[in-house]
């Protein structure tokens, strides 16, 4: 199986193979033979890698922490009013 892998400006072609082996005993009238088969994959893997800026990481972290505090506050308010 042949798979094309694109990463940035470099192209890589990967080969995946399977080996089968068995003993063959032929009579004098038969000749040994070898068979090769290729399975070309129509799927290509494209990798795009971008770096996330630090401010986006900080913003996402603050949003998660704020969301957790909001949910905890809502749950505490519901439990306080029902008890």
């Amino acid at each position: 199986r042949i798979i094309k892998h694109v990463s940035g400006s470099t192209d890589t072609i990967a080969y995946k193979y399977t080996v089968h082996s068995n003993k063959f005993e032929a009579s004098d009238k038969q000749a040994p033979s070898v068979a090769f088969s290729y399975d070309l994959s129509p799927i290509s893997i494209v990798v795009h890698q971008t770096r996330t800026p630090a401010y986006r990481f900080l913003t996402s972290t603050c949003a998660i922490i704020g969301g957790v505090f909001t949910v905890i506050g809502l749950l505490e308010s519901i439990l306080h009013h029902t008890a």
Side-chain angles (χ1 to χ4, degrees):
R1 177 163 266 191
I2 301 172
I3 300 173
K4 185 176 181 182
H5 182 268
V6 179
S7 176
S9 62
T10 60
D11 290 349
T12 305
I13 298 177
Y15 298 96
K16 179 181 173 184
Y17 63 91
T18 305
V19 176
H20 296 286
S21 165
N22 43 344
K23 189 174 181 179
F24 178 75
E25 293 184 24
S27 64
D28 293 337
K29 296 179 182 178
Q30 292 179 329
S33 64
V34 176
F36 295 98
S37 65
Y38 290 96
D39 182 18
L40 298 175
S41 177
I43 297 173
S44 145
I45 301 170
V46 179
V47 177
H48 293 287
Q49 202 168 19
T50 57
R51 187 178 176 133
T52 305
Y55 70 87
R56 184 172 286 175
F57 172 74
L58 290 174
T59 305
S60 298
T61 304
C62 290
I64 291 170
I65 293 170
V68 168
F69 277 117
T70 302
V71 170
I72 289 173
L74 288 171
L75 291 174
E76 182 188 11
S77 175
I78 290 170
L79 290 175
H80 180 67
H81 286 296
T82 58

